[in-house]
Amino acid sequence: MTEHIAESLRLALHQARIAALRKSSKLCVHDGDRVHPVLRLWEDGFSLAAKTAPILRGHVDLYDGSRHLYQCLVVASRVEEDERVYEFKWHTRVADQAPVDFARDDSEAPRVLIPPPL
């Protein structure tokens, strides 16, 4: 069975979906000093609103609110409906601690904490 929806209603529903994606997401892309809200994020890329999205190429940073998630290299973009879709060449998760550049031996770890003098 085929259902027909008026074009104006279909457009209104599509715009409402985009607005809901924009509201629900705290994800954003930092391109230098500019910040752009992310509509969707998946393994190989992300999307921004096509009306306000620039054509990004090169290094960008993805944030969830104030938490830095990924450093990314964007290589391609295209417009699909009202979204500009970007693809990653690579993206690397940002660590919140510096990496350890030596092997830690468990036998060298402290066994007991000495209480401070009274």
Side-chain angles (χ1 to χ4, degrees), residues 18-102:
I18 296 293
L21 285 171
R22 208 176 283 148
K23 275 185 175 180
S24 67
S25 177
K26 295 186 305 181
L27 293 173
C28 59
V29 172
H30 290 226
D31 175 34
D33 294 335
R34 296 176 298 180
V35 177
H36 309 285
V38 172
L39 297 179
R40 295 184 299 130
L41 174 67
W42 56 93
E43 187 174 328
D44 298 332
F46 63 94
S47 69
L48 305 178
K51 289 182 182 178
T52 59
I55 298 174
L56 296 175
R57 284 188 63 85
H59 181 264
V60 296
D61 295 304
L62 272 169
Y63 284 81
D64 182 12
S66 63
R67 197 178 81 204
H68 194 184
L69 294 178
Y70 296 103
Q71 291 182 333
C72 313
L73 183 63
V74 176
V75 293
S77 71
R78 65 186 180 282
V79 175
E80 292 179 1
E81 296 184 11
D82 289 342
E83 296 180 352
R84 180 168 289 280
V85 177
Y86 299 91
E87 294 177 10
F88 299 135
K89 180 171 186 175
W90 58 259
H91 64 287
T92 305
R93 191 137 185 74
V94 176
D96 43 347
Q97 294 181 354
V100 178
D101 60 350
F102 57 89

